[in-house]
Amino acid sequence: MAPNTQPVLANNTAPIEAKDSSHDSGVEDIESTVSSTQSLTDSIREHVYENGRRYHRKSQGKYALPSDETEQDRLDLSHAYYLEMLDGKLSLAAFNKDPANVLDCGTGTGIWALEFGDEHPGSKVVGIDLAPIQPDWVAPNVYFELDDLEKEWTFPEDHFDYIHSRNVGAGIKNWERYLRQMYKHCKPGGYVELSEHSYHNLYCDDGSMSDDSPFLLYIRTVSQSLEKMGMNPNLVLSDYKRLLADAGFVDIEAHNFKCPVGPWPREKKQRRLGAILGEISRTGFEAYGKAVMTNYGSLTEEQATEMIKECVKLVDKGTQHMYGQQWCLVARKPE
């Protein structure tokens, strides 16, 4: 297997041009054989409720996003977004045969693992997550386990042909250790793929986002709150490249995607991506911000709610042309 040498989208630094109308959504008309997963104890399934949302009890202090049905819907829509961004591809690593052993870190609802297992019937796919929100019945080559990725991994060394990790930045405190464990358990010649987005900054190419924008206030407050929680929200593409190299990986390919929030771009695909991400943001602002801002950022529930509402209103208006960045990196463990 070899990495895909052609980026799906160019690492584009050109400004995103807004279309004339900010209110056109741009959205077009958008079980296989199963086996039961291991039963879970009641304690593992325990949840707590705060700020009108449900959170997994055993994830507290490690992961601050909800685990309720609203969040599961957002995660599945986010998966659809990444498929759109990557032109339908589940991975930027290209395989000349099904990778035998695959690990999906922070599998969430398990949707990526299930689709990868369906697309690669010769692969055994293991999805790991803190919260038990995966389906009880899955394909025979897909397995889900509950574990903490920051604890010592119990998999065999040199085992996985491919390790996939997407949007776990809000739950990883020690990236050096995390990537060293990936390296330890990745097979020589195997690949890892990271996909992370910017937590500490939002961007605008045309000056339409004011310095006092609720968007900027929100992202700064969330970033400061994550720091107090022990996370590092300041990592950017160059940091992930360095961390992969320090862990021992080689042939690192990096792809940078601009991610507009709302259907304001002029170009058709960017407008569609913006429309999907705008829909994701309706619950995403709350998912990423509510718990950390109230538990670590010293905001009251009312203050956090008001800030989130202002951000959602701005997305609907489409007058501030804000975007984030998504970084996808593919790297190989030397033979």
Side-chain angles (χ1 to χ4, degrees):
M1 45 188 165
N4 187 352
T5 57
Q6 296 297 323
V8 176
L9 292 178
N11 293 332
N12 187 14
T13 58
I16 303 178
E17 185 179 358
K19 63 184 177 64
D20 293 335
S21 171
S22 299
H23 303 288
D24 176 17
S25 69
V27 180
E28 301 155 7
D29 291 335
I30 320 211
E31 250 156 61
S32 64
T33 305
V34 294
S35 61
S36 177
T37 57
Q38 181 180 2
S39 62
L40 305 171
T41 64
D42 289 342
S43 64
I44 292 176
R45 293 189 180 277
E46 284 183 357
H47 291 83
V48 295
Y49 294 83
E50 62 178 62
N51 302 322
R53 301 298 300 269
R54 188 188 75 185
Y55 297 84
H56 183 230
R57 182 184 295 278
K58 289 187 176 293
S59 299
Q60 289 185 306
K62 303 174 183 178
Y63 186 71
L65 276 70
S67 60
D68 53 22
E69 288 74 14
T70 299
E71 175 65 1
Q72 293 175 43
D73 289 343
R74 187 190 71 83
L75 292 174
D76 286 348
L77 185 56
S78 296
H79 174 71
Y81 175 84
Y82 292 121
L83 285 178
E84 184 78 16
M85 186 178 75
L86 301 179
D87 295 333
K89 293 181 173 63
L90 289 168
S91 168
L92 290 180
F95 307 103
N96 51 27
K97 63 178 181 179
D98 290 349
N101 293 294
V102 177
L103 178 64
D104 184 29
C105 300
T107 194
T109 64
I111 189 170
W112 183 93
L114 289 166
E115 291 192 8
F116 192 91
D118 184 60
E119 193 172 287
H120 300 274
S123 300
K124 175 184 175 180
V125 185
V126 179
I128 300 293
D129 205 274
L130 282 168
I133 58 173
Q134 302 77 38
D136 291 328
W137 296 88
V138 297
N141 64 329
V142 180
Y143 307 83
F144 295 122
E145 298 180 8
L146 298 181
D147 210 341
D148 185 346
L149 290 167
E150 292 210 289
K151 291 183 177 180
E152 190 72 24
W153 292 11
T154 58
F155 301 110
E157 294 186 24
D158 302 330
H159 179 66
F160 291 104
D161 300 88
Y162 174 52
I163 300 177
H164 175 261
S165 173
R166 185 171 72 188
N167 290 350
V168 299
I172 297 295
K173 296 179 180 179
N174 190 333
W175 273 93
E176 289 82 1
R177 174 182 169 85
Y178 180 53
L179 295 182
R180 284 199 305 269
Q181 296 214 84
M182 278 193 186
Y183 187 89
K184 179 180 179 180
H185 297 280
C186 184
K187 184 178 294 184
Y191 287 87
V192 298
E193 183 166 348
L194 304 182
S195 184
E196 290 295 330
H197 59 260
S198 52
Y199 289 92
H200 78 294
N201 205 358
L202 296 172
Y203 308 88
C204 178
D205 290 336
D206 59 9
S208 60
M209 185 168 62
S210 59
D211 292 338
D212 61 349
S213 170
F215 288 147
L216 294 177
L217 178 60
Y218 170 87
I219 203 71
R220 289 166 185 162
T221 307
V222 169
S223 180
Q224 292 166 3
S225 302
L226 286 171
E227 285 183 324
K228 292 179 180 179
M229 190 179 173
M231 310 301 174
N232 185 356
N234 303 308
L235 296 175
V236 295
L237 181 59
S238 59
D239 296 313
Y240 291 114
K241 291 173 67 175
R242 172 183 52 79
L243 288 165
L244 283 167
D246 289 348
F249 291 103
V250 297
D251 299 338
I252 301 169
E253 294 181 1
H255 309 274
N256 184 15
F257 300 92
K258 289 185 174 182
C259 303
V261 183
W264 55 262
R266 182 186 300 275
E267 193 273 327
K268 184 178 180 180
K269 179 170 182 174
Q270 287 285 343
R271 185 166 70 250
R272 178 172 173 79
L273 286 168
I276 299 172
L277 193 52
E279 188 62 29
I280 292 169
S281 73
R282 291 185 179 280
T283 60
F285 283 119
E286 182 178 74
Y288 274 98
K290 197 73 168 284
V292 293
M293 290 193 295
T294 55
N295 292 326
Y296 299 92
S298 302
L299 269 66
T300 65
E301 181 182 351
E302 291 74 18
Q303 289 172 326
T305 299
E306 185 60 30
M307 185 186 299
I308 290 165
K309 284 182 178 179
E310 289 301 313
C311 288
V312 174
K313 286 179 183 178
L314 272 183
V315 173
D316 289 339
K317 288 180 179 178
T319 53
Q320 295 193 18
H321 302 148
M322 177 267 285
Y323 66 91
Q325 296 202 26
Q326 186 78 25
W327 304 299
C328 299
L329 303 97
V330 179
R332 180 176 64 86
K333 180 175 178 176
E335 295 286 353

